[in-house]
Amino acid sequence: MNTTWFIEFSRYSPLLAAIFNFSIGYWVYRAAPNSRKNRIFTIFSFILTNWALYCFFQSITKEYLIALTSDFMLYSGAVFAPALFWHSINTFTEINRKKWILISYLSGFLFLVLNFSPYFRFGVNFFFDTRFVTNPNWGWYAYLITYVVIVM
């Protein structure tokens, strides 16, 4: 079975995700720009757009430095995805968990700093002759565990 179509689709699916996330964020914001719920959701959507867009750049390049820079930029937004997800859920449900929201954002800033250190990643690797992916160091795993704990 020829899997070339799947590989090509997987290269461009982050672009589709970026377009979708940007569009839904923009649409929600335009529906009620003064709504706190809409603003928080829009910021969350734009963070996901950033994540997907740089994932797309990483998937179409063959240049190591472009892929590494894309990885830095991808995680510069992705580190705040758990906090914004938690903030959005708490805002929509009107549950007051300010302490957890604060902890989530503080962990995002911690991982933002860690993102630009050698403790987050060793670099990026070119896999299956198709795309670059993160070669994680311990900071990346700490981020992943924190992401799961915050979102769960």
Side-chain angles (χ1 to χ4, degrees):
M1 179 177 201
N2 187 348
T3 58
T4 306
W5 70 270
F6 180 75
I7 291 170
E8 285 303 310
F9 177 75
S10 70
R11 273 190 190 165
Y12 293 97
S13 61
L15 179 61
L16 295 174
I19 292 168
F20 175 77
N21 279 301
F22 180 84
S23 299
I24 193 103
Y26 180 74
W27 178 72
V28 166
Y29 178 77
R30 294 286 296 157
N34 295 326
S35 164
R36 183 170 184 261
K37 292 177 183 180
N38 287 23
R39 286 193 310 262
I40 291 169
F41 180 81
T42 298
I43 294 168
F44 178 57
S45 294
F46 289 172
I47 288 292
L48 295 179
T49 299
N50 176 77
W51 190 344
L53 192 60
Y54 283 106
C55 187
F56 169 67
F57 293 152
Q58 217 176 27
S59 70
I60 63 169
T61 188
K62 302 275 188 202
E63 300 293 325
Y64 179 83
L65 285 177
I66 292 172
L68 184 61
T69 301
S70 294
D71 204 60
F72 281 119
M73 297 306 293
L74 180 158
Y75 283 103
S76 292
V79 296
F80 292 105
L84 284 160
F85 174 77
W86 185 247
H87 197 168
S88 293
I89 296 301
N90 279 263
T91 302
F92 285 116
T93 59
E94 298 179 356
I95 295 173
N96 188 2
R97 300 240 169 97
K98 290 181 182 181
K99 178 182 170 185
W100 281 107
I101 293 171
L102 178 63
I103 290 169
S104 299
Y105 280 111
L106 290 174
S107 70
F109 281 108
L110 171 71
F111 287 114
L112 179 62
V113 171
L114 200 59
N115 178 43
F116 291 100
S117 78
Y119 305 112
F120 194 81
R121 74 179 60 68
F122 292 109
V124 290
N125 292 334
F126 197 66
F127 276 111
F128 307 115
D129 198 35
T130 57
R131 64 163 296 154
F132 283 95
V133 295
T134 306
N135 181 5
N137 201 344
W138 66 264
W140 186 89
Y141 292 107
Y143 161 70
L144 182 64
I145 291 166
T146 304
Y147 190 112
V148 170
V149 167
I150 289 171
V151 171
M152 295 306 214

